[in-house]
Amino acid sequence: MDPSRQHEHASSATVPLVSPVAQLAYVFSEYSTATGNAMSTKINAQARAHESLGGRTYVVVSDRRRHDYDDGTLVRYASARSTRREWFTDLERRVDAVCGVTVGRRPLVARFHREALDAVPADAEALVVYNYAGAVTDRLVRRSGGKVVLHLGNDVFRSWRASEIRRVIARTHVTVAVSDHLVATIVDRIGHRPENLHVLRNGVDSETFRPVPRVPGAPVTILSVGNVMPHKGVHHLIAAAEVLARRTRDFRVHVVGSAGLRPADGLSAYELALRRAAAPLGELVRFTPFVDRRALPAVYGAADVFAMPVEWQEPAGQVVTEAMASGLPVVSARSGGIPEYLGPDGVYIDPRDTVRFADALHALVTCPTERVSRGQVLRTRAESMTWERNVAELMRLLAD
């Protein structure tokens, strides 16, 4: 174990340890390396960190899915819900939104989670529910023997009234969000900051994701990783690559990910449109629809620059911290919570300004020393973002 990680364990030893903790994965999601679900990755990292500190983590999962992460104690539950309707549907969301406005509660999302919540072991001292705030009902609080945590990684309250948001946060022992930006959106909606609303920033595994020496003289690889959907802005990267190709051909763009979370989901209309747009660039652009989680560090290791041209207010950006830990310079939109993680040494662009985006990429493609120096600074920053620190902070909040 490296000295910095030894220090992390030593500093966390004095933290009051809440154990066992139950983590509720998304209903019907995999707890597996074979999914692109960022929440499952986060639960796995937190379970590993919690148990390294001496705690025990239950991970509550559906028995219909594959689960191959080794960390945590799996608690499987069966569901009577039809296999044709395993996901929470758009119709159910609309009905719940109407119910939230009219009666102040969301019965369908609560029912959707009931079997999973009923499977939570009775000795769990805390229950962590991710994003699905409507599952945090008065019934859940009454039946839970421990403390309830609402963990927010996205802006889940867009269809909620202020009074409804205030009630659900009040039911929790603590509500945590992954960035100051996300907390601010909640505060803006309800007009004040509840005492139990806190920022809990994500960690990153800087032992798994780490710099890899690059082969001198090889084309510079510009990497994009994540869900390939319009709001993630890959089309802006393709447009910038077209401009960049007029100045130099000494680069390659590698787009990793797909619209779905599994390799069998197929290509969306947007993904097909991206391939058509990139076709004139030939070998300068390639697409890999899915990479197993275990192979992802090698993907970062084969890259030289990371691009994050998102159009939406990204709450945190797990892939940004993975790129940082891998020692890559990051060219990103100044969006949402990304600057809180990336800091002052990111290269910030407006992805819709194609020429300026291409300028930023060109500067890094043509200057190896700039790539290395920025990557080294971001690697150092990432080393302080451990999952042990994330879990230790959650333990402190739960102990209050």
Side-chain angles (χ1 to χ4, degrees), residues 122-353:
D123 65 333
E125 294 185 13
L127 167 64
V128 183
V129 177
Y130 284 93
N131 282 340
Y132 280 102
V136 182
T137 61
D138 288 330
R139 174 184 181 272
L140 171 63
V141 174
R142 287 195 301 269
R143 71 170 292 277
S144 175
K147 298 173 178 179
V148 175
V149 178
L150 176 59
H151 194 301
L152 300 175
N154 284 310
D155 181 7
V156 304
F157 291 131
R158 282 170 291 185
S159 67
W160 290 54
R161 292 188 304 171
S163 58
E164 192 184 4
I165 299 171
R166 286 192 288 265
R167 281 196 298 271
V168 76
I169 293 176
R171 292 185 190 116
T172 69
H173 180 79
V174 61
T175 294
V176 295
V178 295
S179 61
D180 285 311
H181 164 78
L182 199 50
V183 165
T185 64
I186 298 169
V187 172
D188 286 345
R189 287 194 177 99
I190 65 178
H192 76 287
R193 180 165 177 168
E195 291 185 1
N196 63 334
L197 175 61
H198 299 273
V199 175
L200 182 66
R201 289 190 177 85
N202 293 335
V204 63
D205 184 349
S206 57
E207 292 181 354
T208 299
F209 295 93
R210 53 190 313 114
V212 175
R214 301 290 289 125
V215 178
V220 173
T221 296
I222 302 166
L223 178 66
S224 170
V225 176
N227 284 119
V228 180
M229 302 177 73
H231 66 276
K232 294 291 189 175
V234 176
H235 53 287
H236 296 305
L237 176 58
I238 302 302
E242 292 176 357
V243 175
L244 183 59
R246 299 174 200 147
R247 307 176 188 177
T248 177
R249 307 281 293 185
D250 191 27
F251 74 95
R252 299 291 184 270
V253 171
H254 189 193
V255 177
V256 176
S258 61
L261 298 175
R262 300 180 188 85
D265 285 342
L267 298 180
S268 67
Y270 176 66
E271 291 173 276
L272 292 172
L274 287 176
R275 283 156 174 77
R276 289 192 296 271
L281 293 170
E283 66 176 3
L284 297 185
V285 180
R286 68 186 174 106
F287 297 87
T288 303
F290 186 84
V291 171
D292 186 282
R293 185 74 190 167
R294 290 165 293 194
L296 198 52
V299 172
Y300 286 100
D304 301 279
V305 176
F306 190 79
M308 190 71 170
V310 293
E311 291 184 349
W312 76 314
Q313 294 299 306
E314 184 83 42
Q318 177 176 284
V319 293
V320 169
T321 54
E322 291 170 351
M324 292 166 60
S326 301
L328 301 182
V330 178
V331 180
S332 174
R334 191 182 292 275
S335 167
I338 290 176
E340 299 172 38
Y341 289 83
L342 187 53
D345 295 292
V347 178
Y348 294 103
I349 47 92
D350 178 349
R352 296 165 297 185
D353 188 335

Side-chain angles (χ1 to χ4, degrees), residues 366-385:
T366 57
C367 187
T369 56
E370 180 74 2
R371 294 198 303 270
V372 170
S373 62
R374 284 188 179 274
Q376 287 174 340
V377 171
L378 293 179
R379 165 68 188 183
T380 299
R381 184 176 177 87
E383 287 173 345
S384 67
M385 301 176 184

